[in-house]
Amino acid sequence: MIIGIALFVFPFIYEDRSMLILFTQIFIFAIFAMSYDILLGFTGIVSFGHAMFFGIGAYCVSVMLKHHEPTMLLVTGAISLGVLFSLIISFVVGLMTLRLKSHYYAMLTLALAGLFLVAAEKWRTLTYGNDGFTFQVPEFFHDRLHFYLVCLVLMVIVYFGLKRFIQSPLGRILLAIKDNEQRAESLGYQVLHYKIIASIVAGGIASLSGSLYALSLRFVNTSVFTMDITLDALLMTIIGGVGTLIGPVLGAAIIELAHHWLTGLAKVHWIFERWLILFGIVYILAVMFFPNGIVGSVRKLVSKKEKKEDVSTSENIVKEG
Amino acid sequence: MVAILETKNLGITFGTHQAVQDVSFSVEKNEFKSIIGPNGAGKTTLFNLLSGQLKPTKGEIYLKGQQITGSSVVERTRLGIGRSFQITNVFPNLTVLENVRLAVQSQAKLRYQAFTHYRSYQKFEEKALHWLHVALLDHKENTLAINLAHGEKRKLEMAMLLALEPELLLLDEPTAGMSLEDVPAILQVIKKIKEEGDKTILLIEHKMDMIMDLSDRIMVLFNGKLLAEGTPREIMDNELVQSAYLGGLYDEFTSQS
């Protein structure tokens, strides 16, 4: 909570454009990573095609703004349209693919995301291919501060919305499916329906983050459909903590900040120009030693401490007795 | 009496191996029926057919006169068939209470509610606690299922099964792999269910004394075929059963050595 308020106040105290933009990016990717965690952390679905929805959201907004007068109404409309598209596509895709078991599903999502990438490359009249295109954003967003606040608010809304979602009876079933699919089925839950619901929710929110991403750059090209985007989400979720909502937010912050500072360090030593290498090492170490991510590891430590205290108090009781 | 479950010439073939062939039987309402037979006789396969995990290659299954041969696991659960598994099958990373609460929630047909907090359904939790009590698992509700002892996991499974409030219970060796001290507890749970008298129970078990004591009727499966059926007394005296059972055990020994 304190951090949240601090983030609201932050831009008014500290006026640095590049930091503002960096934080906006963090919020956007936090939304995206949270949506990915709904699949990975709460339902146990490994998808490599999540960039698909990100890209749909990005292109929906960009194309609409390119061809029409940029107004706030249009932006909201375009974002909603992107979300709607994503809902439909995730439903159809889910219906077709979610019957498959884990890695087969992962491969198929990879292929589908590839399909969207190729389509975006080839449909040059609409997307201008890999070169991409710039577009105008409404007056309101010309001020970076406004955009920063909008993204922050949306992130908070998504956070609490998803929190409610996973704590609903339906969310509990998703967790059960992650834990033991077969058992969930024999309790009378139609597993496929729940997986589709999860992927629809995740798809819609991913599209929202994609739209914001395009708005923040005022430019779009086919990179929004690439595997890198999905991998970023995967990385953020895993480093932050799978199966928690705050984890992806933290992960997004860490990765974006690290990205920013490591590239900044390039002047100091040439190795920082290859910051991806360092990142890979950190990633491997994280997966090996903190498989639960930051949040998961901290939680474990806390619960261990509590247990120890429990034991020591009970020992005291025994001694006194 | 009404037959709650009926099968007609039920059979399944894996490749050339006929695991279950031409099994026709019926279970009456509130009856306690046990299935015995040597290892590999097809008992668990028969259960898989009844609960829908496997689709029969031959024959039909009726629940309360309604054809359910083609129904899925989910549909059958909703119709009132509940089964326990021979291999312990719970949600390992959820708490004991949550395990049972999910079963209660399913029973209450609350399946797609996504907007309210799950805690606002206090009744579910109370009910779940009640079932934990029935299954002799008081004071364990906040333990993760993975941290339970084996015997407790089996009890948890019983609690989940009961929470579904099925009319027909399929119990697949509820005491399998349990230490001897734990067996009486499970027996007590089963007896409790039986005494309530509103459940039909189908039980697979190896412990003969337990079966003789509890069952109204017994079926003997051998090599996928229904060998005999009758009251415990009749089965005890049946020479065919004795030779088959001993013969089966003998086979098992030779195959192991």
Side-chain angles (χ1 to χ4, degrees):
Chain A
M1 273 311 276
I2 299 161
I3 297 170
I5 294 164
L7 282 174
F8 267 110
V9 181
F10 168 76
F12 297 102
I13 303 166
Y14 188 74
E15 277 188 36
D16 179 7
R17 237 178 85 87
S18 73
M19 279 312 263
L20 212 57
I21 294 173
L22 179 66
F23 270 88
T24 313
Q25 290 280 331
I26 292 176
F27 300 149
I28 293 170
F29 275 98
I31 295 175
F32 186 53
M34 277 193 276
S35 79
Y36 192 71
D37 202 28
I38 289 291
L39 293 180
L40 184 71
F42 292 101
T43 322
I45 304 171
V46 182
S47 162
F48 284 128
H50 212 47
M52 176 156 85
F53 304 115
F54 192 80
I56 290 171
Y59 269 104
C60 248
V61 166
S62 311
V63 170
M64 291 286 269
L65 286 180
K66 175 93 181 160
H67 295 285
H68 300 279
E69 194 63 29
T71 59
M72 278 311 283
L73 194 68
L74 186 73
V75 170
T76 357
I79 291 177
S80 320
L81 190 69
V83 171
L84 189 70
F85 262 137
S86 290
L87 294 183
I88 294 167
I89 288 175
S90 61
F91 175 72
V92 174
V93 167
L95 207 59
M96 290 191 306
T97 58
L98 280 169
R99 287 168 203 278
L100 296 171
K101 291 279 170 277
S102 57
H103 43 291
Y104 296 106
Y105 172 77
M107 294 310 286
L108 203 60
T109 53
L110 188 62
L112 275 169
L115 192 72
F116 272 87
L117 177 61
V118 172
E121 295 259 359
K122 295 294 168 199
W123 195 354
R124 298 196 67 93
T125 48
L126 190 70
T127 65
Y128 298 93
N130 196 22
D131 303 331
F133 59 89
T134 54
F135 55 88
Q136 287 295 313
V137 294
E139 197 99 12
F140 181 70
F141 285 154
H142 280 235
D143 190 346
R144 283 282 168 188
L145 181 61
H146 288 164
F147 192 61
Y148 171 95
L149 290 177
V150 166
C151 287
L152 179 57
V153 168
L154 280 174
M155 181 182 82
V156 172
I157 291 174
V158 166
Y159 176 78
F160 284 106
L162 286 181
K163 195 164 184 170
R164 176 36 63 90
F165 175 68
I166 54 165
Q167 285 182 337
S168 70
L170 188 139
R172 297 280 112 184
I173 300 166
L174 293 183
L175 279 176
I177 289 172
K178 183 197 176 193
D179 215 13
N180 190 340
E181 201 175 314
Q182 190 203 0
R183 185 67 188 145
E185 201 163 52
S186 63
L187 279 186
Y189 294 119
Q190 196 87 53
V191 169
L192 183 66
H193 292 187
Y194 292 98
K195 284 185 165 178
I196 290 176
I197 290 171
S199 83
I200 287 176
V201 169
I205 292 169
S207 164
L208 170 70
S209 65
S211 303
L212 292 175
Y213 182 73
L215 280 174
S216 79
L217 295 184
R218 299 170 195 179
F219 166 79
V220 70
N221 71 355
T222 49
S223 72
V224 291
F225 274 122
T226 53
M227 188 67 196
D228 297 14
I229 299 280
T230 308
L231 286 183
D232 271 346
L234 184 69
L235 214 69
M236 288 166 185
T237 317
I238 287 180
I239 287 193
V242 175
T244 61
L245 275 180
I246 199 74
V249 178
L250 260 178
I254 288 169
I255 288 185
E256 286 294 319
L257 284 176
H259 183 163
H260 180 76
W261 276 318
L262 286 177
T263 30
L265 281 175
K267 284 172 219 144
V268 182
H269 192 278
W270 56 267
I271 189 141
F272 291 112
E273 231 167 280
R274 301 277 170 271
W275 62 275
L276 265 177
I277 300 174
L278 295 178
F279 233 79
I281 295 169
V282 172
Y283 184 42
I284 291 168
L285 291 178
V287 171
M288 277 175 79
F289 296 108
F290 304 103
N292 299 319
I294 295 169
V295 176
S297 302
V298 169
R299 271 191 196 166
K300 232 184 198 168
L301 272 177
V302 171
S303 70
K304 249 187 200 167
K305 239 185 193 169
E306 272 172 10
K307 249 183 205 166
K308 257 185 196 166
E309 275 164 17
D310 278 357
V311 171
S312 58
T313 47
S314 63
E315 270 173 1
N316 286 341
I317 292 165
V318 169
K319 270 178 200 166
E320 280 163 19
Chain B
M1 277 291 232
V2 209
I4 187 163
L5 181 78
E6 201 177 354
T7 69
K8 280 189 187 145
N9 304 323
L10 197 62
I12 186 166
T13 321
F14 300 118
T16 54
H17 175 64
Q18 290 199 305
V20 173
Q21 26 179 323
D22 279 335
V23 174
S24 306
F25 71 95
S26 69
V27 187
E28 278 163 15
K29 199 162 168 41
N30 299 339
E31 192 176 26
F32 193 120
K33 192 173 231 174
S34 297
I35 303 174
I36 59 171
N39 280 355
K43 303 185 295 296
T44 300
T45 311
L46 179 62
F47 261 31
N48 283 336
L49 290 173
L50 295 178
S51 66
Q53 255 88 8
L54 292 171
K55 293 270 171 289
T57 43
K58 230 186 108 207
E60 285 128 35
I61 309 167
Y62 296 91
L63 186 74
K64 289 178 275 185
Q66 191 188 344
Q67 162 100 258
I68 57 160
T69 318
S71 311
S72 68
V73 179
V74 176
E75 283 164 335
R76 291 186 204 198
T77 306
R78 292 180 185 178
L79 283 171
I81 298 182
R83 89 166 276 191
S84 79
F85 291 84
Q86 188 176 3
I87 304 155
T88 310
N89 199 348
V90 294
F91 300 112
N93 297 313
L94 303 180
T95 63
V96 168
L97 181 65
E98 184 65 15
N99 265 282
V100 183
R101 208 193 54 78
L102 279 163
V104 175
Q105 189 182 318
S106 171
Q107 206 277 326
K109 303 201 167 19
L110 189 83
R111 300 199 177 96
Y112 299 109
Q113 171 54 263
F115 300 107
T116 46
H117 197 283
Y118 74 98
R119 288 259 180 182
S120 56
Y121 295 93
Q122 275 296 325
K123 256 194 201 151
F124 292 175
E125 240 159 77
E126 282 161 26
K127 252 189 178 174
L129 285 171
H130 165 72
W131 292 119
L132 283 176
H133 176 71
V134 173
L136 309 169
L137 269 175
D138 298 282
H139 311 302
K140 284 279 181 194
E141 61 263 22
N142 290 324
T143 321
L144 285 186
I146 198 169
N147 295 331
L148 288 178
H150 183 75
E152 289 171 328
K153 274 186 199 156
R154 309 282 336 188
K155 285 191 217 161
L156 173 59
E157 193 145 301
M158 292 291 278
M160 289 166 78
L161 190 57
L162 291 172
L164 287 173
E165 297 180 31
E167 283 176 77
L168 175 66
L169 284 165
L170 305 176
L171 303 177
D172 194 350
E173 286 199 55
T175 62
M178 254 190 189
S179 64
L180 278 174
E181 305 92 79
D182 283 335
V183 172
I186 281 286
L187 266 181
Q188 210 184 325
V189 175
I190 296 175
K191 266 190 191 143
K192 245 187 186 171
I193 306 167
K194 195 194 166 185
E195 274 159 17
E196 278 178 21
D198 55 350
K199 297 265 190 290
T200 313
I201 301 171
L202 213 56
L203 172 78
I204 294 180
E205 194 44 81
H206 279 302
K207 301 189 174 62
M208 285 307 264
D209 46 341
M210 177 173 159
I211 286 175
M212 292 303 164
D213 189 28
L214 284 169
S215 311
D216 297 324
R217 293 179 76 80
I218 293 176
M219 297 196 318
V220 185
L221 271 187
F222 184 65
N223 279 345
K225 283 187 202 136
L226 190 58
L227 197 69
E229 196 191 336
T231 60
R233 195 72 265 147
E234 287 166 14
I235 295 296
M236 284 277 263
D237 297 340
N238 191 326
E239 268 176 45
L240 190 61
V241 173
Q242 277 173 14
S243 66
Y245 215 81
L246 290 173
L249 282 176
Y250 180 70
D251 277 346
E252 194 190 323
F253 270 103
T254 46
S255 67
Q256 269 172 6
S257 55

